[in-house]
Coordinates of all heavy atoms in Angstrom, one line a residue:
M587 N -2.9 18.0 22.6 CA -4.0 17.5 21.9 C -3.7 16.2 21.2 O -4.5 15.3 21.2 CB -4.5 18.6 20.9 CG -5.7 18.2 20.1 SD -7.1 18.0 21.1 CE -8.4 18.0 19.9
R588 N -2.5 16.2 20.6 CA -2.1 15.0 19.9 C -2.0 13.8 20.9 O -2.4 12.7 20.5 CB -0.8 15.2 19.2 CG -0.3 14.1 18.3 CD 1.0 14.5 17.6 NE 1.5 13.4 16.9 CZ 1.7 13.4 15.6 NH1 1.4 14.5 14.9 NH2 2.1 12.3 15.0
R589 N -1.5 14.0 22.1 CA -1.4 13.0 23.0 C -2.8 12.5 23.5 O -3.0 11.3 23.7 CB -0.6 13.5 24.2 CG -0.4 12.4 25.3 CD 0.5 13.0 26.4 NE 0.5 12.0 27.5 CZ 1.6 11.3 27.9 NH1 2.7 11.5 27.2 NH2 1.6 10.5 28.9
F590 N -3.7 13.4 23.7 CA -5.1 13.1 24.0 C -5.7 12.2 23.0 O -6.3 11.2 23.3 CB -5.9 14.4 24.2 CG -7.4 14.1 24.5 CD1 -7.8 13.7 25.7 CD2 -8.3 14.1 23.4 CE1 -9.1 13.4 26.0 CE2 -9.6 13.9 23.7 CZ -10.0 13.5 25.0
L591 N -5.5 12.5 21.7 CA -6.1 11.7 20.6 C -5.4 10.3 20.6 O -6.1 9.3 20.4 CB -5.9 12.4 19.3 CG -6.7 13.7 19.1 CD1 -6.3 14.3 17.8 CD2 -8.2 13.4 19.2
R592 N -4.1 10.2 20.8 CA -3.5 8.9 20.8 C -3.9 8.1 22.0 O -4.2 6.9 21.9 CB -2.0 9.1 20.9 CG -1.2 7.8 20.8 CD 0.2 7.9 21.0 NE 1.0 6.7 20.8 CZ 0.9 5.6 21.5 NH1 0.0 5.4 22.4 NH2 1.7 4.5 21.3
D593 N -4.0 8.7 23.2 CA -4.4 8.0 24.4 C -5.8 7.6 24.5 O -6.2 6.7 25.2 CB -4.1 8.8 25.7 CG -2.6 9.0 25.9 OD1 -1.8 8.3 25.2 OD2 -2.2 9.8 26.7
N594 N -6.7 8.2 23.7 CA -8.1 8.0 23.8 C -8.7 7.7 22.4 O -9.9 7.8 22.2 CB -8.9 9.2 24.4 CG -8.4 9.4 25.8 OD1 -8.7 8.7 26.7 ND2 -7.7 10.5 26.0
G595 N -7.8 7.3 21.5 CA -8.3 7.0 20.1 C -9.4 6.0 20.0 O -10.3 6.2 19.2
L596 N -9.3 4.9 20.7 CA -10.3 3.9 20.6 C -11.7 4.3 21.1 O -12.7 4.1 20.4 CB -9.8 2.6 21.4 CG -10.8 1.5 21.4 CD1 -11.0 0.9 20.0 CD2 -10.2 0.4 22.3
S597 N -11.7 5.0 22.2 CA -13.0 5.5 22.7 C -13.6 6.5 21.8 O -14.8 6.5 21.5 CB -12.8 6.2 24.1 OG -12.4 5.2 25.0
L598 N -12.8 7.4 21.2 CA -13.2 8.5 20.3 C -13.8 7.9 19.0 O -14.8 8.3 18.5 CB -12.1 9.5 20.1 CG -11.7 10.3 21.2 CD1 -10.5 11.1 20.9 CD2 -12.8 11.2 21.7
A599 N -13.1 6.9 18.5 CA -13.5 6.3 17.3 C -14.8 5.5 17.4 O -15.7 5.6 16.6 CB -12.4 5.3 16.7
M600 N -14.9 4.8 18.5 CA -16.1 4.0 18.8 C -17.3 4.9 19.0 O -18.4 4.7 18.5 CB -15.9 3.0 20.0 CG -15.0 1.9 19.7 SD -15.4 0.9 18.2 CE -16.9 0.1 18.8
F601 N -17.1 6.0 19.7 CA -18.2 7.0 20.0 C -18.6 7.6 18.7 O -19.8 7.8 18.4 CB -17.8 8.0 21.0 CG -18.9 9.0 21.3 CD1 -20.0 8.6 22.1 CD2 -18.8 10.3 20.9 CE1 -21.0 9.5 22.4 CE2 -19.8 11.2 21.2 CZ -20.9 10.8 21.9
A602 N -17.7 8.0 17.8 CA -18.0 8.6 16.5 C -18.8 7.6 15.7 O -19.8 8.0 15.0 CB -16.7 9.1 15.8
L603 N -18.4 6.4 15.6 CA -19.1 5.4 14.8 C -20.5 5.2 15.4 O -21.4 5.0 14.6 CB -18.3 4.1 14.8 CG -17.1 4.0 14.0 CD1 -16.3 2.7 14.2 CD2 -17.4 4.1 12.5
F604 N -20.6 5.1 16.7 CA -21.9 5.0 17.3 C -22.9 6.1 16.9 O -24.0 5.9 16.5 CB -21.8 4.9 18.8 CG -23.1 5.0 19.6 CD1 -24.0 3.9 19.6 CD2 -23.5 6.2 20.2 CE1 -25.2 4.0 20.3 CE2 -24.7 6.3 20.9 CZ -25.5 5.2 20.9
V605 N -22.4 7.4 17.0 CA -23.2 8.5 16.7 C -23.6 8.5 15.2 O -24.7 8.8 14.9 CB -22.5 9.8 17.1 CG1 -23.2 11.1 16.6 CG2 -22.4 9.9 18.6
A606 N -22.6 8.2 14.4 CA -22.9 8.2 12.9 C -23.9 7.2 12.5 O -24.8 7.5 11.7 CB -21.6 8.0 12.2
T607 N -23.8 6.0 13.1 CA -24.7 5.0 12.7 C -26.1 5.2 13.3 O -27.1 5.0 12.6 CB -24.3 3.6 13.2 OG1 -24.0 3.6 14.6 CG2 -23.0 3.1 12.4
L608 N -26.2 5.8 14.5 CA -27.5 6.1 15.1 C -28.2 7.2 14.3 O -29.4 7.2 14.0 CB -27.3 6.5 16.6 CG -28.6 6.7 17.3 CD1 -29.4 5.4 17.4 CD2 -28.3 7.2 18.7
L609 N -27.4 8.2 13.9 CA -27.9 9.3 13.0 C -28.4 8.7 11.7 O -29.6 9.1 11.3 CB -26.9 10.4 12.8 CG -27.3 11.6 12.0 CD1 -28.5 12.3 12.7 CD2 -26.2 12.5 11.7
G610 N -27.6 7.9 11.0 CA -28.1 7.4 9.8 C -29.3 6.5 9.9 O -30.2 6.5 9.1
M611 N -29.3 5.7 11.0 CA -30.5 4.8 11.2 C -31.8 5.7 11.4 O -32.8 5.3 10.9 CB -30.2 3.9 12.4 CG -31.4 2.9 12.6 SD -31.2 2.0 14.2 CE -31.7 3.3 15.3
S612 N -31.6 6.7 12.2 CA -32.8 7.6 12.5 C -33.3 8.3 11.2 O -34.5 8.4 11.1 CB -32.5 8.5 13.6 OG -31.5 9.5 13.2
V613 N -32.4 8.8 10.4 CA -32.9 9.5 9.2 C -33.6 8.5 8.2 O -34.6 8.8 7.7 CB -31.7 10.1 8.5 CG1 -32.0 10.6 7.1 CG2 -31.2 11.3 9.3
A614 N -33.0 7.3 8.0 CA -33.6 6.3 7.2 C -34.9 5.8 7.8 O -35.9 5.6 7.0 CB -32.6 5.1 7.0
G615 N -35.0 5.6 9.1 CA -36.2 5.2 9.7 C -37.3 6.2 9.6 O -38.5 5.9 9.4
L616 N -36.9 7.5 9.7 CA -37.9 8.5 9.5 C -38.6 8.5 8.1 O -39.8 8.6 8.0 CB -37.3 9.9 9.7 CG -38.2 11.1 9.4 CD1 -39.4 11.2 10.4 CD2 -37.4 12.4 9.5
R617 N -37.8 8.3 7.1 CA -38.3 8.2 5.8 C -39.2 7.0 5.6 O -40.3 7.1 5.0 CB -37.2 8.1 4.7 CG -36.4 9.4 4.6 CD -35.3 9.2 3.5 NE -34.6 10.5 3.4 CZ -33.7 10.7 2.6 NH1 -33.3 9.7 1.7 NH2 -33.0 11.9 2.5
V618 N -38.9 5.9 6.1 CA -39.7 4.7 6.0 C -41.0 4.9 6.8 O -42.1 4.6 6.4 CB -38.9 3.4 6.5 CG1 -39.9 2.2 6.7 CG2 -37.8 3.1 5.6
Y619 N -40.9 5.4 8.0 CA -42.0 5.6 8.9 C -43.0 6.6 8.2 O -44.2 6.3 8.2 CB -41.6 6.2 10.2 CG -42.7 6.5 11.2 CD1 -43.2 5.4 11.9 CD2 -43.2 7.8 11.4 CE1 -44.2 5.6 12.9 CE2 -44.2 8.0 12.3 CZ -44.7 6.9 13.0 OH -45.8 7.1 13.9
N620 N -42.5 7.7 7.7 CA -43.4 8.6 7.0 C -44.1 8.0 5.8 O -45.2 8.3 5.5 CB -42.7 9.9 6.7 CG -42.6 10.8 7.9 OD1 -43.4 10.8 8.8 ND2 -41.6 11.7 7.9
Q621 N -43.3 7.2 5.0 CA -43.9 6.6 3.9 C -45.0 5.6 4.3 O -46.1 5.6 3.7 CB -42.9 5.8 3.1 CG -43.4 5.2 1.8 CD -44.0 6.3 0.9 OE1 -43.4 7.3 0.6 NE2 -45.2 6.0 0.4
E622 N -44.8 4.9 5.4 CA -45.9 4.0 5.9 C -47.1 4.8 6.4 O -48.2 4.4 6.2 CB -45.3 3.1 7.0 CG -44.4 2.1 6.5 CD -43.8 1.2 7.6 OE1 -44.1 1.5 8.8 OE2 -43.0 0.3 7.3
Q623 N -46.8 5.9 7.0 CA -47.9 6.8 7.4 C -48.7 7.3 6.2 O -50.0 7.3 6.2 CB -47.4 8.0 8.2 CG -46.8 7.7 9.5 CD -47.8 7.2 10.5 OE1 -48.0 6.0 10.7 NE2 -48.4 8.2 11.2
L624 N -48.1 7.7 5.1 CA -48.8 8.1 3.9 C -49.6 7.0 3.3 O -50.7 7.2 2.8 CB -47.8 8.7 2.9 CG -47.1 10.0 3.3 CD1 -46.1 10.4 2.3 CD2 -48.2 11.1 3.4
D625 N -49.0 5.8 3.3 CA -49.7 4.6 2.7 C -51.0 4.3 3.5 O -51.9 3.7 2.9 CB -48.8 3.4 2.8 CG -47.6 3.5 1.8 OD1 -47.6 4.4 0.9 OD2 -46.6 2.7 2.0
H626 N -51.0 4.7 4.7 CA -52.2 4.4 5.6 C -53.1 5.7 5.8 O -53.9 5.7 6.7 CB -51.8 3.8 6.9 CG -51.2 2.5 6.8 ND1 -49.9 2.3 6.8 CD2 -51.8 1.2 6.6 CE1 -49.6 1.0 6.7 NE2 -50.8 0.3 6.5
N627 N -52.8 6.7 4.9 CA -53.5 8.0 5.0 C -53.5 8.6 6.4 O -54.5 9.1 6.9 CB -55.0 7.8 4.6 CG -55.1 7.4 3.1 OD1 -54.3 7.9 2.3 ND2 -56.0 6.5 2.8
Q628 N -52.3 8.6 7.0 CA -52.1 9.2 8.3 C -51.1 10.3 8.2 O -50.3 10.4 7.2 CB -51.7 8.2 9.3 CG -52.7 7.1 9.6 CD -52.2 6.1 10.6 OE1 -51.1 6.0 11.0 NE2 -53.1 5.2 11.0
A629 N -51.1 11.2 9.2 CA -50.2 12.4 9.1 C -48.7 11.9 9.3 O -48.4 11.0 10.1 CB -50.5 13.3 10.2
T630 N -47.8 12.6 8.6 CA -46.4 12.4 8.8 C -45.9 13.1 10.0 O -46.5 14.0 10.5 CB -45.6 12.8 7.5 OG1 -45.8 14.2 7.3 CG2 -46.1 12.0 6.3
V631 N -44.7 12.8 10.4 CA -44.1 13.5 11.6 C -42.7 14.0 11.2 O -42.1 13.6 10.2 CB -43.9 12.5 12.8 CG1 -45.2 11.9 13.2 CG2 -43.0 11.3 12.4
G632 N -42.2 15.0 12.0 CA -40.9 15.6 11.8 C -39.8 14.7 12.5 O -40.2 13.7 13.2
Y633 N -38.6 15.1 12.3 CA -37.5 14.3 12.8 C -37.5 14.2 14.4 O -37.4 13.1 14.9 CB -36.1 14.9 12.4 CG -34.9 14.1 12.9 CD1 -34.6 12.9 12.3 CD2 -34.1 14.6 13.9 CE1 -33.5 12.2 12.7 CE2 -33.1 13.9 14.3 CZ -32.7 12.7 13.7 OH -31.7 11.9 14.2
V634 N -37.6 15.3 15.0 CA -37.6 15.3 16.5 C -38.8 14.5 17.0 O -38.7 13.7 18.0 CB -37.6 16.7 17.1 CG1 -37.7 16.7 18.6 CG2 -36.3 17.4 16.6
E635 N -40.0 14.6 16.4 CA -41.2 13.9 16.9 C -41.0 12.4 16.6 O -41.4 11.5 17.4 CB -42.4 14.4 16.1 CG -43.7 13.8 16.6 CD -44.9 14.4 15.9 OE1 -44.8 15.3 15.1 OE2 -46.0 13.9 16.2
Y636 N -40.3 12.0 15.5 CA -40.0 10.6 15.2 C -39.2 10.0 16.3 O -39.4 8.8 16.6 CB -39.3 10.5 13.8 CG -38.9 9.1 13.5 CD1 -39.8 8.1 13.3 CD2 -37.5 8.8 13.5 CE1 -39.4 6.8 13.1 CE2 -37.1 7.5 13.2 CZ -38.0 6.5 13.0 OH -37.6 5.2 12.8
L637 N -38.2 10.7 16.8 CA -37.3 10.2 17.8 C -38.1 9.7 19.1 O -37.5 8.9 19.9 CB -36.3 11.2 18.2 CG -35.3 11.5 17.1 CD1 -34.3 12.6 17.6 CD2 -34.6 10.3 16.5
T638 N -39.3 10.2 19.3 CA -40.1 9.8 20.5 C -41.2 8.7 20.1 O -41.9 8.3 21.0 CB -40.8 11.0 21.1 OG1 -41.7 11.5 20.1 CG2 -39.8 12.0 21.5
T639 N -41.2 8.2 18.9 CA -42.2 7.2 18.5 C -41.8 5.8 19.0 O -40.6 5.6 19.1 CB -42.4 7.2 17.0 OG1 -41.2 6.8 16.4 CG2 -42.9 8.5 16.5
D640 N -42.7 5.0 19.2 CA -42.5 3.6 19.5 C -41.7 2.9 18.4 O -40.9 2.0 18.7 CB -43.8 2.8 19.8 CG -44.5 3.3 21.0 OD1 -43.8 3.9 21.9 OD2 -45.7 3.1 21.1
D641 N -41.9 3.3 17.2 CA -41.2 2.7 16.0 C -39.7 2.9 16.1 O -38.9 2.0 16.0 CB -41.7 3.3 14.7 CG -41.1 2.6 13.5 OD1 -41.5 1.5 13.2 OD2 -40.3 3.3 12.8
F642 N -39.3 4.1 16.4 CA -37.9 4.4 16.5 C -37.2 3.7 17.7 O -36.2 3.1 17.6 CB -37.6 5.9 16.7 CG -36.2 6.3 17.0 CD1 -35.2 6.2 16.0 CD2 -35.8 6.7 18.2 CE1 -33.9 6.5 16.2 CE2 -34.4 7.0 18.5 CZ -33.5 6.9 17.5
I643 N -37.9 3.7 18.8 CA -37.4 3.0 20.0 C -37.3 1.5 19.8 O -36.2 0.9 20.1 CB -38.3 3.3 21.2 CG1 -38.2 4.8 21.6 CG2 -37.9 2.4 22.4 CD1 -39.2 5.3 22.5
E644 N -38.2 0.9 19.1 CA -38.2 -0.5 18.9 C -37.1 -0.9 17.9 O -36.3 -1.8 18.1 CB -39.5 -1.0 18.2 CG -39.6 -2.4 17.8 CD -40.8 -2.8 17.1 OE1 -41.8 -2.0 17.1 OE2 -40.9 -4.0 16.7
V645 N -36.9 -0.1 16.8 CA -35.9 -0.4 15.9 C -34.5 -0.2 16.5 O -33.6 -1.0 16.2 CB -36.1 0.5 14.6 CG1 -34.8 0.5 13.7 CG2 -37.3 0.1 13.9
T646 N -34.4 0.8 17.3 CA -33.1 1.1 18.0 C -32.7 -0.1 18.8 O -31.5 -0.6 18.8 CB -33.1 2.3 18.8 OG1 -33.5 3.4 17.9 CG2 -31.8 2.6 19.5
F647 N -33.6 -0.6 19.7 CA -33.2 -1.7 20.6 C -33.0 -3.0 19.8 O -32.2 -3.8 20.2 CB -34.2 -1.9 21.7 CG -34.0 -0.8 22.8 CD1 -34.9 0.2 22.9 CD2 -33.0 -1.0 23.6 CE1 -34.7 1.2 23.9 CE2 -32.8 0.0 24.6 CZ -33.6 1.1 24.7
E648 N -33.7 -3.2 18.7 CA -33.4 -4.4 17.9 C -32.0 -4.3 17.3 O -31.4 -5.4 17.2 CB -34.5 -4.5 16.8 CG -35.8 -5.0 17.2 CD -36.9 -5.0 16.1 OE1 -36.5 -4.6 15.0 OE2 -38.0 -5.4 16.4
N649 N -31.6 -3.2 16.9 CA -30.3 -3.1 16.3 C -29.2 -3.2 17.4 O -28.1 -3.8 17.1 CB -30.1 -1.7 15.6 CG -30.8 -1.7 14.3 OD1 -31.0 -2.8 13.7 ND2 -31.2 -0.6 13.8
W650 N -29.5 -2.8 18.6 CA -28.5 -2.9 19.7 C -28.3 -4.4 20.0 O -27.3 -4.7 20.7 CB -28.9 -2.1 20.9 CG -28.6 -0.6 20.6 CD1 -28.0 0.0 19.6 CD2 -29.0 0.4 21.5 NE1 -28.0 1.3 19.7 CE2 -28.5 1.6 20.9 CE3 -29.6 0.5 22.8 CZ2 -28.7 2.9 21.5 CZ3 -29.8 1.7 23.3 CH2 -29.3 2.9 22.7
E651 N -29.3 -5.2 19.7 CA -29.1 -6.6 20.0 C -28.0 -7.3 19.1 O -27.5 -8.4 19.5 CB -30.4 -7.4 19.8 CG -31.5 -7.0 20.8 CD -32.8 -7.7 20.5 OE1 -33.0 -8.2 19.4 OE2 -33.6 -7.7 21.4
S652 N -27.6 -6.6 18.1 CA -26.6 -7.2 17.2 C -25.2 -6.9 17.8 O -24.4 -6.3 17.2 CB -26.7 -6.6 15.8 OG -26.5 -5.2 15.8
E653 N -25.0 -7.3 19.0 CA -23.8 -7.0 19.7 C -22.6 -7.7 19.1 O -21.5 -7.3 19.3 CB -23.9 -7.4 21.2 CG -24.2 -8.9 21.4 CD -24.6 -9.2 22.8 OE1 -25.7 -8.8 23.2 OE2 -23.8 -9.9 23.5
F654 N -22.8 -8.8 18.4 CA -21.6 -9.4 17.8 C -20.9 -8.5 16.7 O -19.7 -8.5 16.7 CB -22.1 -10.7 17.1 CG -22.5 -11.8 18.1 CD1 -23.8 -12.1 18.2 CD2 -21.6 -12.4 18.9 CE1 -24.2 -13.1 19.1 CE2 -21.9 -13.3 19.9 CZ -23.3 -13.7 20.0
L655 N -21.7 -7.7 16.0 CA -21.1 -6.8 15.1 C -20.4 -5.7 15.8 O -19.2 -5.4 15.4 CB -22.2 -6.2 14.2 CG -21.7 -5.1 13.2 CD1 -20.7 -5.7 12.2 CD2 -22.9 -4.6 12.4
Q656 N -20.9 -5.2 16.9 CA -20.2 -4.2 17.7 C -19.0 -4.7 18.3 O -17.9 -4.1 18.3 CB -21.2 -3.7 18.7 CG -22.4 -3.0 18.2 CD -23.4 -2.7 19.3 OE1 -23.2 -3.0 20.5 NE2 -24.6 -2.2 18.9
M657 N -19.0 -5.9 18.8 CA -17.8 -6.5 19.4 C -16.8 -6.8 18.3 O -15.6 -6.6 18.6 CB -18.2 -7.8 20.1 CG -17.0 -8.4 20.9 SD -16.3 -7.3 22.1 CE -17.6 -7.1 23.3
A658 N -17.2 -7.2 17.2 CA -16.2 -7.4 16.1 C -15.5 -6.1 15.7 O -14.3 -6.1 15.5 CB -16.9 -8.0 14.9
A659 N -16.2 -5.0 15.6 CA -15.6 -3.7 15.3 C -14.7 -3.3 16.4 O -13.6 -2.8 16.2 CB -16.7 -2.7 15.2
Y660 N -15.1 -3.6 17.7 CA -14.2 -3.2 18.8 C -12.9 -4.0 18.8 O -11.8 -3.4 18.9 CB -14.9 -3.5 20.1 CG -14.2 -3.2 21.3 CD1 -14.1 -1.8 21.8 CD2 -13.5 -4.1 22.1 CE1 -13.4 -1.5 22.9 CE2 -12.8 -3.8 23.2 CZ -12.7 -2.5 23.6 OH -12.0 -2.1 24.7
V661 N -13.0 -5.3 18.5 CA -11.8 -6.1 18.4 C -10.9 -5.7 17.3 O -9.6 -5.5 17.5 CB -12.2 -7.6 18.3 CG1 -10.9 -8.5 18.0 CG2 -12.8 -8.1 19.6
L662 N -11.4 -5.4 16.1 CA -10.6 -5.0 15.0 C -10.0 -3.6 15.2 O -8.8 -3.4 14.9 CB -11.5 -5.0 13.7 CG -11.9 -6.3 13.2 CD1 -12.8 -6.2 12.0 CD2 -10.7 -7.2 12.8
L663 N -10.7 -2.7 15.8 CA -10.1 -1.4 16.1 C -9.0 -1.4 17.2 O -8.1 -0.6 17.1 CB -11.2 -0.4 16.5 CG -12.1 0.0 15.3 CD1 -13.3 0.9 15.8 CD2 -11.4 0.8 14.3
T664 N -9.1 -2.3 18.1 CA -8.1 -2.4 19.1 C -6.7 -2.8 18.5 O -5.7 -2.6 19.1 CB -8.4 -3.4 20.2 OG1 -8.7 -4.7 19.7 CG2 -9.6 -2.9 21.0
V665 N -6.7 -3.4 17.3 CA -5.4 -3.7 16.7 C -4.7 -2.4 16.3 O -3.5 -2.4 16.4 CB -5.7 -4.6 15.4 CG1 -4.4 -4.8 14.6 CG2 -6.3 -5.9 15.8
F666 N -5.5 -1.4 15.9 CA -4.9 -0.1 15.4 C -4.9 1.0 16.4 O -4.1 1.9 16.2 CB -5.6 0.3 14.1 CG -5.6 -0.8 13.1 CD1 -6.7 -1.5 12.8 CD2 -4.4 -1.1 12.4 CE1 -6.7 -2.5 11.8 CE2 -4.4 -2.1 11.4 CZ -5.6 -2.8 11.2
L667 N -5.8 1.1 17.3 CA -6.0 2.2 18.2 C -5.7 1.8 19.6 O -5.7 0.7 20.0 CB -7.4 2.8 18.1 CG -7.8 3.2 16.7 CD1 -9.3 3.5 16.7 CD2 -7.0 4.3 16.2
F668 N -5.4 2.8 20.4 CA -5.0 2.6 21.8 C -5.9 3.4 22.8 O -6.4 4.4 22.4 CB -3.5 3.0 22.1 CG -2.5 2.3 21.2 CD1 -2.1 2.9 20.0 CD2 -2.0 1.1 21.5 CE1 -1.2 2.3 19.2 CE2 -1.1 0.5 20.7 CZ -0.7 1.1 19.5
Q669 N -6.0 2.9 24.0 CA -6.7 3.5 25.1 C -5.8 3.5 26.3 O -5.6 2.4 26.8 CB -8.0 2.9 25.3 CG -8.8 3.6 26.4 CD -9.3 4.9 26.0 OE1 -9.7 5.2 24.9 NE2 -9.2 5.9 27.0
R670 N -5.2 4.6 26.7 CA -4.3 4.6 27.9 C -5.0 4.1 29.1 O -6.2 4.4 29.4 CB -3.9 6.0 28.1 CG -2.9 6.2 29.3 CD -1.5 5.8 29.0 NE -0.9 6.5 27.9 CZ 0.1 6.1 27.3 NH1 0.7 5.0 27.6 NH2 0.6 6.7 26.3
G671 N -4.4 3.1 29.8 CA -5.0 2.6 31.0 C -5.8 1.4 30.8 O -6.3 0.8 31.8
S672 N -6.0 0.9 29.6 CA -6.8 -0.3 29.3 C -5.9 -1.5 29.3 O -4.8 -1.5 29.2 CB -7.5 -0.2 28.0 OG -6.6 -0.1 26.9

């Protein structure tokens, strides 16, 4: 197990950061979306329903455009973590 973590540390760290930021963005987005719905006297939605809205999809792709931040994180993490075969 220890060897697996060492050999795949970079991939595991980047995947964990991706999941954590996507989860955080979706929770924050749900709160903003529901507040806007209430401001316009419309029904609020649950978390799973929010994930299928145009608002979530639009915000997600806008954030993915910030590839420079992602690339900077990748470059900095490669200083400390390794990926066997790379």
Side-chain angles (χ1 to χ4, degrees):
M587 179 65 164
R588 186 177 175 120
R589 182 179 172 110
F590 174 80
L591 293 176
R592 184 189 186 296
D593 290 349
N594 299 291
L596 180 59
S597 294
L598 294 171
M600 292 304 293
F601 182 72
L603 287 170
F604 170 75
V605 169
T607 55
L608 188 62
L609 180 64
M611 184 190 77
S612 65
V613 170
L616 173 63
R617 289 184 179 182
V618 170
Y619 181 80
N620 279 336
Q621 185 58 51
E622 289 177 357
Q623 292 292 92
L624 290 173
D625 291 345
H626 295 99
N627 296 322
Q628 296 178 351
T630 60
V631 298
Y633 181 74
V634 175
E635 189 177 355
Y636 172 68
L637 296 178
T638 62
T639 63
D640 292 338
D641 185 71
F642 174 73
I643 295 168
E644 178 184 353
V645 169
T646 300
F647 281 105
E648 284 177 0
N649 283 335
W650 284 355
E651 288 177 346
S652 62
E653 61 192 68
F654 292 109
L655 178 60
Q656 295 168 4
M657 186 54 68
Y660 182 80
V661 169
L662 291 175
L663 287 173
T664 57
V665 172
F666 303 105
L667 303 173
F668 302 94
Q669 180 68 40
R670 180 76 59 198
S672 63

